[in-house]
Amino acid sequence: MKSESSAIVIQAIPVAAEWQRAVQRNKIPLAAKVVVTAFLAVLVPVYLHTYGPTNFLWFCDTALILTTAGMWLESSLLVSMCAVGILLPQCLWLADFGVNLLGFHFLNLTSYMFDDKLPLFTRGLSLFHGWLPLLLVWLLFRLGYDRRAMVAWTAVAAGLVFACYFFTPPAGAQPANPNTPTNVNYLYGFNDQHPQMWINQNLYVILLFDALWLVAFLPTHLALRKIFVAPLPAAGLKLLPLRFL
């Protein structure tokens, strides 16, 4: 029985791969591109007015913009980068949001979703954190997973961390606009009221980025390259070859 089951599983793997490649050939429907772009066209001016431009330095907001671009370009690389970067962190966002809905507190990642000082419409736009991971998985089925994504997202994430650390307010800051994001990407700890005091702040940022790479980016990359087939030769942006894991 065990040998028969193993044979079935082994035979199913190439069938699944062929099915994914057939889906890739159908590309991305125009309707999906238009809907996501329309959402982004609403979100960007609202966020700019409410939070200011630094809000787009959050990993998730950057991923939303890159995903939209990836849909129009039908770029497996852009979509794969975003998947590596946010699939696991967005699961934490969803878990925290669900706990808050039940009246409890978890990581306080979504406390702003229950802040009556923010318009309900603005908070509603942030629900993209819930559907963006599902969209990315669907896009990976259609475009395939580009293994260069790990290196590419690491570079993007490092750039975002640098920009946030040197050009955005730390935890506990009180900017003129009370809605201006502080402690972007949690570079000062998970308490927005004051910076972490455990270790040297510069060392903390380095350790945080290393932890993200090891706990979120790398495992996601390893899982996605097993689950999804590589993109077809015509898919994705033609960039210079990158070494990848």
Side-chain angles (χ1 to χ4, degrees):
M1 287 295 292
K2 282 188 176 181
S3 59
E4 292 179 3
S5 300
S6 300
I8 293 173
V9 171
I10 293 172
Q11 291 173 4
I13 292 174
V15 172
E18 285 303 315
W19 176 74
Q20 288 188 39
R21 291 195 181 279
V23 171
Q24 284 187 44
R25 296 186 185 96
N26 293 325
K27 304 292 178 80
I28 302 170
L30 178 61
K33 298 175 182 178
V34 170
V35 168
V36 175
T37 303
F39 174 82
L40 188 63
V42 174
L43 179 141
V44 169
V46 172
Y47 272 24
L48 280 174
H49 175 74
T50 305
Y51 304 116
T54 56
N55 193 77
F56 296 101
L57 293 176
W58 287 97
F59 289 160
C60 48
D61 291 77
T62 298
L64 175 62
I65 295 171
L66 290 178
T67 298
T68 306
M71 292 178 71
W72 283 103
L73 296 172
E74 297 188 341
S75 166
S76 173
L77 178 57
L78 287 177
V79 170
S80 300
M81 287 166 55
C82 298
V84 165
I86 70 160
L87 282 183
L88 280 181
Q90 292 307 277
C91 289
L92 283 178
W93 189 96
L94 287 170
D96 189 73
F97 182 66
V99 169
N100 271 285
L101 280 176
L102 295 175
F104 302 99
H105 297 286
F106 180 35
L107 296 174
N108 290 322
L109 303 178
T110 59
S111 56
Y112 68 95
M113 293 292 288
F114 303 89
D115 184 357
D116 294 335
K117 296 177 182 177
L118 291 172
L120 183 60
F121 180 73
T122 303
R123 286 180 280 157
L125 290 173
S126 286
L127 290 174
F128 81 82
H129 293 84
W131 55 258
L132 182 57
L134 298 176
L135 174 64
L136 286 169
V137 171
W138 178 71
L139 291 172
L140 288 174
F141 270 108
R142 303 198 75 87
L143 297 175
Y145 178 68
D146 192 321
R147 296 189 178 191
R148 299 173 298 171
M150 178 66 175
V151 174
W153 177 259
T154 299
V156 169
L160 291 173
V161 167
F162 179 87
C164 292
Y165 194 45
F166 289 102
F167 301 108
T168 63
Q174 297 181 345
N177 177 1
N179 293 325
T180 297
T182 61
N183 192 28
V184 179
N185 291 319
Y186 307 104
L187 297 187
Y188 294 88
F190 290 93
N191 188 331
D192 292 340
Q193 304 307 313
H194 56 79
Q196 62 81 30
M197 303 296 290
W198 312 326
I199 57 175
N200 175 273
Q201 181 58 41
N202 294 330
L203 179 59
Y204 176 83
V205 172
I206 295 171
L207 293 177
L208 176 65
F209 188 80
D210 289 345
L212 276 173
W213 197 90
L214 286 171
V215 176
F217 304 162
L218 179 60
T220 303
H221 164 72
L222 295 176
L224 293 179
R225 75 176 188 177
K226 290 288 185 182
I227 297 171
F228 298 99
V229 298
L232 294 174
L237 294 175
K238 294 182 179 180
L239 299 179
L240 293 174
L242 295 173
R243 289 190 175 276
F244 49 82
L245 295 175

Coordinates of all heavy atoms in Angstrom, one line a residue, residues 140-218:
L140 N 1.1 33.9 -8.4 CA 2.2 32.9 -8.6 C 1.8 31.7 -9.4 O 2.6 31.1 -10.1 CB 2.7 32.5 -7.2 CG 3.5 33.5 -6.4 CD1 3.8 33.0 -5.0 CD2 4.8 33.9 -7.1
F141 N 0.5 31.3 -9.2 CA 0.0 30.2 -10.0 C 0.0 30.6 -11.5 O 0.2 29.7 -12.4 CB -1.4 29.8 -9.6 CG -1.5 28.7 -8.5 CD1 -1.8 29.0 -7.2 CD2 -1.1 27.4 -8.8 CE1 -1.9 28.1 -6.2 CE2 -1.2 26.4 -7.9 CZ -1.5 26.8 -6.6
R142 N -0.3 31.8 -11.8 CA -0.4 32.2 -13.2 C 1.0 32.6 -13.8 O 1.1 32.4 -15.0 CB -1.3 33.4 -13.3 CG -2.7 33.2 -12.7 CD -3.7 34.1 -13.2 NE -4.1 33.9 -14.6 CZ -5.1 33.0 -14.9 NH1 -5.8 32.4 -14.0 NH2 -5.4 32.8 -16.2
L143 N 1.9 33.1 -13.0 CA 3.2 33.5 -13.5 C 4.3 32.6 -13.2 O 5.4 32.7 -13.8 CB 3.5 34.9 -13.1 CG 2.5 36.0 -13.5 CD1 2.8 37.4 -12.8 CD2 2.5 36.2 -15.0
G144 N 4.2 31.8 -12.1 CA 5.3 31.0 -11.7 C 6.1 31.8 -10.6 O 6.0 33.0 -10.5
Y145 N 7.0 31.0 -10.0 CA 7.9 31.6 -8.9 C 9.3 31.8 -9.5 O 9.9 30.9 -9.9 CB 7.9 30.8 -7.7 CG 8.8 31.4 -6.6 CD1 8.5 32.6 -6.0 CD2 10.0 30.7 -6.3 CE1 9.3 33.1 -5.0 CE2 10.9 31.3 -5.3 CZ 10.5 32.5 -4.7 OH 11.4 33.0 -3.8
D146 N 9.8 33.0 -9.4 CA 11.1 33.4 -9.9 C 12.1 33.3 -8.7 O 11.9 34.0 -7.8 CB 11.1 34.8 -10.5 CG 12.4 35.1 -11.2 OD1 13.5 34.7 -10.8 OD2 12.3 35.8 -12.3
R147 N 13.0 32.4 -8.8 CA 13.9 32.1 -7.7 C 14.9 33.3 -7.4 O 15.5 33.3 -6.4 CB 14.7 30.8 -8.0 CG 13.8 29.6 -8.0 CD 14.7 28.3 -8.1 NE 13.8 27.2 -8.1 CZ 14.3 25.9 -7.9 NH1 15.6 25.7 -7.7 NH2 13.4 24.9 -7.9
R148 N 15.0 34.3 -8.3 CA 15.8 35.4 -8.0 C 15.1 36.4 -7.0 O 15.7 37.3 -6.6 CB 16.0 36.2 -9.3 CG 16.8 35.4 -10.4 CD 16.8 36.2 -11.7 NE 15.5 36.5 -12.2 CZ 15.2 37.3 -13.3 NH1 16.2 37.9 -13.8 NH2 14.0 37.4 -13.7
A149 N 13.9 36.1 -6.7 CA 13.1 36.9 -5.8 C 13.7 37.1 -4.4 O 13.6 38.2 -3.9 CB 11.7 36.4 -5.7
M150 N 14.3 36.1 -3.9 CA 14.9 36.2 -2.6 C 16.0 37.3 -2.5 O 16.0 38.1 -1.6 CB 15.5 34.8 -2.2 CG 16.2 34.8 -0.9 SD 15.0 35.0 0.5 CE 16.1 34.8 1.9
V151 N 16.9 37.3 -3.5 CA 18.0 38.3 -3.6 C 17.4 39.7 -3.8 O 17.8 40.6 -3.2 CB 19.0 37.9 -4.7 CG1 20.0 39.0 -4.8 CG2 19.7 36.6 -4.3
A152 N 16.4 39.7 -4.8 CA 15.9 41.0 -5.1 C 15.1 41.6 -4.0 O 15.3 42.8 -3.7 CB 14.9 40.8 -6.3
W153 N 14.3 40.8 -3.3 CA 13.5 41.4 -2.2 C 14.5 41.8 -1.0 O 14.2 42.8 -0.3 CB 12.4 40.5 -1.6 CG 11.7 41.0 -0.5 CD1 12.0 40.7 0.9 CD2 10.8 42.1 -0.5 NE1 11.2 41.5 1.7 CE2 10.4 42.4 0.9 CE3 10.2 42.8 -1.5 CZ2 9.5 43.3 1.2 CZ3 9.2 43.8 -1.1 CH2 8.9 44.0 0.2
T154 N 15.5 41.0 -0.8 CA 16.4 41.4 0.3 C 17.0 42.8 0.0 O 17.2 43.6 1.0 CB 17.6 40.3 0.4 OG1 17.0 39.0 0.7 CG2 18.6 40.7 1.4
A155 N 17.4 43.0 -1.2 CA 17.9 44.4 -1.6 C 16.9 45.5 -1.4 O 17.2 46.5 -0.8 CB 18.4 44.4 -3.0
V156 N 15.6 45.2 -1.8 CA 14.6 46.2 -1.6 C 14.3 46.4 -0.1 O 14.2 47.6 0.4 CB 13.3 45.7 -2.3 CG1 12.1 46.6 -1.9 CG2 13.4 45.8 -3.8
A157 N 14.2 45.4 0.7 CA 14.0 45.5 2.1 C 15.1 46.2 2.8 O 14.8 47.0 3.7 CB 13.8 44.1 2.7
A158 N 16.3 46.0 2.4 CA 17.5 46.7 3.0 C 17.4 48.2 2.7 O 17.7 49.0 3.6 CB 18.8 46.1 2.5
G159 N 17.0 48.5 1.5 CA 16.8 49.9 1.1 C 15.7 50.6 1.9 O 15.9 51.7 2.4
L160 N 14.6 49.9 2.2 CA 13.5 50.4 2.9 C 13.9 50.6 4.4 O 13.6 51.6 5.0 CB 12.3 49.5 2.9 CG 11.6 49.4 1.5 CD1 10.5 48.3 1.5 CD2 11.0 50.7 1.1
V161 N 14.7 49.6 4.9 CA 15.1 49.8 6.3 C 16.0 51.0 6.5 O 15.9 51.7 7.4 CB 15.8 48.5 6.8 CG1 16.6 48.7 8.1 CG2 14.8 47.3 6.9
F162 N 16.9 51.1 5.5 CA 17.8 52.3 5.6 C 17.1 53.6 5.5 O 17.3 54.5 6.3 CB 18.8 52.2 4.4 CG 19.8 53.4 4.3 CD1 21.0 53.3 5.0 CD2 19.4 54.5 3.6 CE1 21.9 54.4 4.9 CE2 20.3 55.6 3.5 CZ 21.5 55.6 4.2
A163 N 16.1 53.7 4.6 CA 15.3 54.9 4.5 C 14.5 55.2 5.8 O 14.4 56.3 6.2 CB 14.4 54.8 3.3
C164 N 13.9 54.1 6.3 CA 13.1 54.3 7.5 C 13.9 54.7 8.7 O 13.5 55.6 9.5 CB 12.3 53.0 7.8 SG 11.1 52.5 6.6
Y165 N 15.1 54.1 8.8 CA 15.9 54.4 10.0 C 16.4 55.8 10.0 O 16.6 56.5 11.1 CB 17.1 53.4 10.0 CG 17.8 53.4 11.4 CD1 17.1 53.3 12.6 CD2 19.2 53.4 11.4 CE1 17.7 53.3 13.8 CE2 19.8 53.3 12.7 CZ 19.1 53.3 13.8 OH 19.8 53.3 15.0
F166 N 16.7 56.4 8.8 CA 17.4 57.7 8.8 C 16.4 58.8 8.4 O 16.7 60.0 8.6 CB 18.5 57.7 7.8 CG 19.7 56.9 8.2 CD1 19.9 55.6 7.8 CD2 20.6 57.4 9.2 CE1 21.0 54.9 8.2 CE2 21.7 56.7 9.6 CZ 21.9 55.4 9.1
F167 N 15.2 58.5 7.9 CA 14.3 59.5 7.4 C 12.9 59.5 8.0 O 12.0 60.2 7.5 CB 14.3 59.5 5.9 CG 15.6 59.7 5.3 CD1 16.2 58.6 4.6 CD2 16.3 60.9 5.3 CE1 17.5 58.8 4.0 CE2 17.5 61.1 4.7 CZ 18.1 60.0 4.1
T168 N 12.6 58.6 8.9 CA 11.3 58.6 9.5 C 11.4 58.7 11.1 O 12.4 58.3 11.6 CB 10.5 57.3 9.2 OG1 11.2 56.2 9.7 CG2 10.4 57.1 7.7
P169 N 10.3 59.2 11.7 CA 10.4 59.4 13.2 C 10.5 58.1 13.9 O 9.9 57.1 13.5 CB 9.1 60.1 13.5 CG 8.6 60.6 12.2 CD 9.1 59.7 11.1
P170 N 11.2 58.0 15.0 CA 11.3 56.8 15.8 C 10.1 56.6 16.7 O 9.2 57.5 16.7 CB 12.6 57.1 16.7 CG 12.6 58.6 16.9 CD 12.1 59.1 15.6
A171 N 10.0 55.5 17.4 CA 8.9 55.3 18.3 C 9.0 56.3 19.4 O 10.0 56.7 19.8 CB 9.1 53.9 18.9
G172 N 7.8 56.8 19.8 CA 7.7 57.8 20.8 C 7.7 59.2 20.3 O 7.5 60.2 21.1
A173 N 8.1 59.4 19.0 CA 8.1 60.8 18.5 C 6.7 61.4 18.4 O 5.7 60.6 18.3 CB 8.8 60.8 17.1
Q174 N 6.6 62.7 18.4 CA 5.3 63.3 18.2 C 5.4 64.4 17.1 O 5.6 65.6 17.3 CB 5.0 64.0 19.5 CG 4.8 63.1 20.7 CD 4.4 63.8 22.0 OE1 4.5 65.0 22.1 NE2 3.9 63.0 22.9
P175 N 5.3 63.9 15.9 CA 5.3 64.8 14.7 C 4.1 65.7 14.7 O 3.1 65.5 15.3 CB 5.3 63.8 13.5 CG 4.7 62.6 14.0 CD 5.0 62.5 15.5
A176 N 4.3 66.8 13.8 CA 3.2 67.8 13.7 C 1.9 67.2 13.3 O 0.8 67.5 13.8 CB 3.6 68.9 12.8
N177 N 2.0 66.3 12.3 CA 0.8 65.5 11.9 C 0.7 64.3 12.8 O 1.5 63.4 12.7 CB 0.9 65.2 10.4 CG -0.3 64.3 10.0 OD1 -1.3 64.0 10.7 ND2 -0.3 63.9 8.7
P178 N -0.3 64.2 13.7 CA -0.4 63.0 14.6 C -0.5 61.7 13.8 O -0.2 60.6 14.4 CB -1.6 63.3 15.4 CG -2.4 64.2 14.6 CD -1.4 65.1 13.8
N179 N -0.9 61.7 12.6 CA -1.0 60.5 11.8 C 0.2 60.1 11.1 O 0.3 59.0 10.4 CB -2.2 60.6 10.8 CG -3.5 60.7 11.5 OD1 -3.8 60.2 12.5 ND2 -4.4 61.5 10.9
T180 N 1.3 60.9 11.1 CA 2.5 60.6 10.5 C 3.1 59.3 11.1 O 3.2 59.2 12.3 CB 3.6 61.7 10.6 OG1 3.1 62.9 10.0 CG2 4.9 61.3 10.0
P181 N 3.4 58.3 10.3 CA 3.9 57.0 10.8 C 5.2 57.2 11.6 O 6.1 57.9 11.2 CB 4.1 56.2 9.6 CG 3.3 56.8 8.5 CD 3.3 58.3 8.8
T182 N 5.2 56.6 12.7 CA 6.4 56.5 13.5 C 6.8 55.0 13.7 O 6.0 54.1 13.5 CB 6.3 57.1 14.9 OG1 5.2 56.4 15.6 CG2 5.9 58.5 14.8
N183 N 8.1 54.7 13.9 CA 8.5 53.3 14.1 C 8.1 52.5 12.9 O 7.7 51.4 13.1 CB 7.9 52.8 15.4 CG 8.5 51.4 15.8 OD1 9.7 51.2 15.6 ND2 7.7 50.6 16.5
V184 N 8.4 53.0 11.7 CA 8.0 52.3 10.5 C 8.8 51.0 10.4 O 10.0 51.0 10.6 CB 8.3 53.2 9.3 CG1 7.9 52.4 8.0 CG2 7.4 54.4 9.4
N185 N 8.1 49.9 10.1 CA 8.7 48.6 10.0 C 9.3 48.1 11.3 O 10.1 47.2 11.3 CB 9.7 48.5 8.9 CG 9.0 48.6 7.5 OD1 8.0 48.0 7.3 ND2 9.7 49.3 6.6
Y186 N 8.8 48.7 12.4 CA 9.2 48.3 13.8 C 10.7 48.3 14.0 O 11.2 47.4 14.7 CB 8.5 46.9 14.1 CG 7.1 46.9 13.8 CD1 6.6 46.3 12.7 CD2 6.2 47.6 14.6 CE1 5.2 46.4 12.4 CE2 4.8 47.6 14.4 CZ 4.3 47.0 13.2 OH 3.0 47.1 13.0
L187 N 11.3 49.3 13.5 CA 12.8 49.4 13.6 C 13.2 49.8 15.0 O 14.4 49.7 15.4 CB 13.4 50.3 12.6 CG 13.2 50.0 11.1 CD1 14.0 50.9 10.3 CD2 13.6 48.5 10.9
Y188 N 12.2 50.2 15.8 CA 12.6 50.7 17.2 C 11.8 49.8 18.2 O 11.7 50.2 19.4 CB 12.2 52.1 17.4 CG 13.0 53.1 16.6 CD1 12.6 53.4 15.3 CD2 14.1 53.6 17.1 CE1 13.4 54.3 14.5 CE2 14.9 54.5 16.3 CZ 14.5 54.8 15.0 OH 15.3 55.7 14.3
G189 N 11.4 48.6 17.8 CA 10.7 47.7 18.7 C 9.3 47.6 18.4 O 8.8 48.3 17.4
F190 N 8.5 46.9 19.2 CA 7.1 46.7 18.8 C 6.2 47.5 19.7 O 5.0 47.3 19.8 CB 6.7 45.2 19.0 CG 7.4 44.3 17.9 CD1 8.6 43.7 18.1 CD2 6.8 44.2 16.7 CE1 9.2 43.0 17.1 CE2 7.3 43.4 15.7 CZ 8.6 42.8 15.9
N191 N 6.7 48.5 20.4 CA 5.9 49.5 21.1 C 6.1 50.8 20.5 O 7.2 51.4 20.6 CB 6.4 49.5 22.6 CG 5.4 50.3 23.5 OD1 4.8 51.3 23.0 ND2 5.3 49.9 24.7
D192 N 5.1 51.4 19.9 CA 5.2 52.7 19.2 C 5.3 53.8 20.2 O 5.7 55.0 19.8 CB 4.0 52.9 18.3 CG 3.9 52.0 17.1 OD1 5.0 51.4 16.8 OD2 2.8 51.8 16.5
Q193 N 5.1 53.6 21.5 CA 5.1 54.7 22.4 C 6.6 55.1 22.9 O 6.8 56.2 23.2 CB 4.3 54.3 23.7 CG 2.9 54.0 23.4 CD 2.2 55.0 22.6 OE1 2.2 56.2 22.9 NE2 1.5 54.6 21.5
H194 N 7.5 54.1 22.8 CA 8.9 54.4 23.1 C 9.8 53.4 22.5 O 9.4 52.2 22.3 CB 9.1 54.4 24.6 CG 8.7 53.2 25.3 ND1 9.4 52.1 25.4 CD2 7.5 52.9 26.0 CE1 8.8 51.1 26.1 NE2 7.6 51.6 26.5
P195 N 11.0 53.7 22.2 CA 12.0 52.8 21.5 C 12.3 51.7 22.5 O 12.3 51.8 23.7 CB 13.2 53.6 21.2 CG 12.7 55.0 21.3 CD 11.6 55.1 22.3
Q196 N 12.7 50.5 21.9 CA 13.3 49.4 22.8 C 14.5 49.9 23.5 O 15.3 50.7 23.0 CB 13.5 48.2 21.9 CG 14.5 48.4 20.8 CD 16.0 48.2 21.3 OE1 16.2 47.5 22.3 NE2 16.9 48.9 20.7
M197 N 14.7 49.3 24.7 CA 15.9 49.7 25.5 C 16.8 48.5 25.8 O 17.6 48.6 26.7 CB 15.4 50.4 26.8 CG 14.5 51.6 26.6 SD 15.3 53.0 25.8 CE 16.4 53.5 27.1
W198 N 16.5 47.4 25.1 CA 17.3 46.2 25.5 C 18.7 46.3 25.1 O 19.6 46.0 25.9 CB 16.6 45.0 24.9 CG 15.2 44.9 25.0 CD1 14.4 45.3 26.1 CD2 14.2 44.4 24.1 NE1 13.1 45.0 26.0 CE2 12.9 44.5 24.7 CE3 14.3 43.8 22.9 CZ2 11.7 44.1 24.1 CZ3 13.1 43.4 22.2 CH2 11.9 43.5 22.8
I199 N 19.0 46.7 23.9 CA 20.3 46.7 23.3 C 20.6 48.0 22.5 O 19.6 48.8 22.3 CB 20.6 45.5 22.4 CG1 19.5 45.4 21.3 CG2 20.5 44.2 23.2 CD1 19.8 44.3 20.2
N200 N 21.8 48.2 22.1 CA 22.1 49.3 21.2 C 21.2 49.4 20.0 O 20.9 48.3 19.4 CB 23.6 49.2 20.8 CG 24.0 50.3 19.8 OD1 23.8 50.1 18.6 ND2 24.5 51.4 20.3
Q201 N 20.7 50.5 19.7 CA 19.7 50.7 18.6 C 20.2 50.2 17.3 O 19.5 49.6 16.5 CB 19.1 52.1 18.6 CG 18.0 52.3 17.5 CD 16.8 51.4 17.7 OE1 16.4 51.2 18.8 NE2 16.3 50.9 16.6
N202 N 21.4 50.6 17.0 CA 22.0 50.2 15.7 C 22.1 48.7 15.6 O 21.8 48.1 14.5 CB 23.4 50.8 15.5 CG 23.3 52.3 15.4 OD1 22.3 52.9 14.9 ND2 24.4 53.0 15.8
L203 N 22.5 48.0 16.6 CA 22.6 46.6 16.7 C 21.2 46.0 16.6 O 21.1 44.9 15.9 CB 23.3 46.1 18.0 CG 23.5 44.6 18.1 CD1 24.3 44.0 17.0 CD2 24.1 44.3 19.5
Y204 N 20.2 46.6 17.2 CA 18.9 46.1 17.2 C 18.4 46.0 15.7 O 17.7 45.0 15.3 CB 17.9 46.9 18.0 CG 16.5 46.5 17.9 CD1 16.0 45.5 18.7 CD2 15.6 47.1 17.0 CE1 14.7 45.1 18.6 CE2 14.3 46.7 16.9 CZ 13.8 45.7 17.7 OH 12.5 45.3 17.6
V205 N 18.6 47.1 14.9 CA 18.1 47.1 13.6 C 18.8 46.0 12.7 O 18.1 45.3 12.0 CB 18.4 48.5 12.9 CG1 18.1 48.5 11.4 CG2 17.6 49.6 13.6
I206 N 20.1 45.8 12.9 CA 20.8 44.7 12.2 C 20.2 43.4 12.6 O 19.9 42.5 11.7 CB 22.3 44.8 12.5 CG1 22.9 46.1 12.0 CG2 23.0 43.6 11.9 CD1 24.3 46.3 12.4
L207 N 20.0 43.1 13.9 CA 19.5 41.9 14.3 C 18.0 41.7 13.9 O 17.6 40.5 13.5 CB 19.5 41.8 15.9 CG 20.9 41.7 16.5 CD1 20.9 41.7 18.0 CD2 21.7 40.5 16.0
L208 N 17.3 42.7 13.8 CA 15.9 42.6 13.4 C 15.8 42.2 11.9 O 15.1 41.3 11.5 CB 15.1 44.0 13.6 CG 13.7 44.0 13.0 CD1 12.8 43.1 13.8 CD2 13.2 45.5 13.1
F209 N 16.7 42.9 11.1 CA 16.7 42.5 9.7 C 17.2 41.1 9.5 O 16.6 40.3 8.6 CB 17.6 43.5 8.9 CG 17.6 43.3 7.4 CD1 16.5 43.9 6.7 CD2 18.5 42.6 6.7 CE1 16.4 43.7 5.3 CE2 18.5 42.4 5.4 CZ 17.4 43.0 4.6
D210 N 18.2 40.7 10.2 CA 18.7 39.3 10.1 C 17.6 38.3 10.5 O 17.4 37.2 9.9 CB 19.9 39.1 11.0 CG 21.1 39.8 10.5 OD1 21.1 40.2 9.3 OD2 22.1 40.0 11.3
A211 N 16.8 38.6 11.6 CA 15.7 37.8 12.0 C 14.6 37.7 10.9 O 14.1 36.6 10.7 CB 15.2 38.3 13.3
L212 N 14.3 38.8 10.3 CA 13.3 38.8 9.3 C 13.8 37.9 8.1 O 13.0 37.1 7.6 CB 13.1 40.2 8.7 CG 12.1 41.1 9.5 CD1 12.1 42.5 8.9 CD2 10.7 40.5 9.4
W213 N 15.0 38.0 7.8 CA 15.6 37.2 6.7 C 15.5 35.7 7.0 O 15.1 34.9 6.1 CB 17.0 37.6 6.4 CG 17.5 37.2 5.1 CD1 17.5 37.9 3.9 CD2 18.2 35.9 4.8 NE1 18.1 37.1 2.9 CE2 18.5 36.0 3.4 CE3 18.6 34.8 5.6 CZ2 19.2 34.9 2.8 CZ3 19.2 33.8 4.9 CH2 19.5 33.8 3.6
L214 N 15.9 35.4 8.2 CA 16.0 33.9 8.6 C 14.6 33.3 8.9 O 14.3 32.2 8.5 CB 16.9 33.8 9.8 CG 18.4 33.9 9.6 CD1 19.1 33.9 10.9 CD2 18.9 32.8 8.7
V215 N 13.7 34.1 9.5 CA 12.4 33.6 9.9 C 11.3 33.8 8.9 O 10.4 32.9 8.9 CB 12.0 34.2 11.3 CG1 10.7 33.8 11.8 CG2 13.1 33.9 12.3
A216 N 11.4 34.8 8.1 CA 10.3 35.1 7.2 C 10.7 34.9 5.7 O 10.1 34.1 5.0 CB 9.8 36.5 7.4
F217 N 11.7 35.7 5.3 CA 12.1 35.7 3.9 C 12.6 34.3 3.4 O 12.1 33.8 2.4 CB 13.1 36.7 3.6 CG 12.8 38.1 4.0 CD1 13.7 39.1 4.1 CD2 11.4 38.5 4.2 CE1 13.4 40.4 4.5 CE2 11.1 39.8 4.6 CZ 12.1 40.7 4.8
L218 N 13.6 33.7 4.1 CA 14.2 32.5 3.6 C 13.2 31.3 3.7 O 13.1 30.6 2.7 CB 15.4 32.1 4.5 CG 16.1 30.8 4.2 CD1 16.6 30.8 2.7 CD2 17.3 30.6 5.1

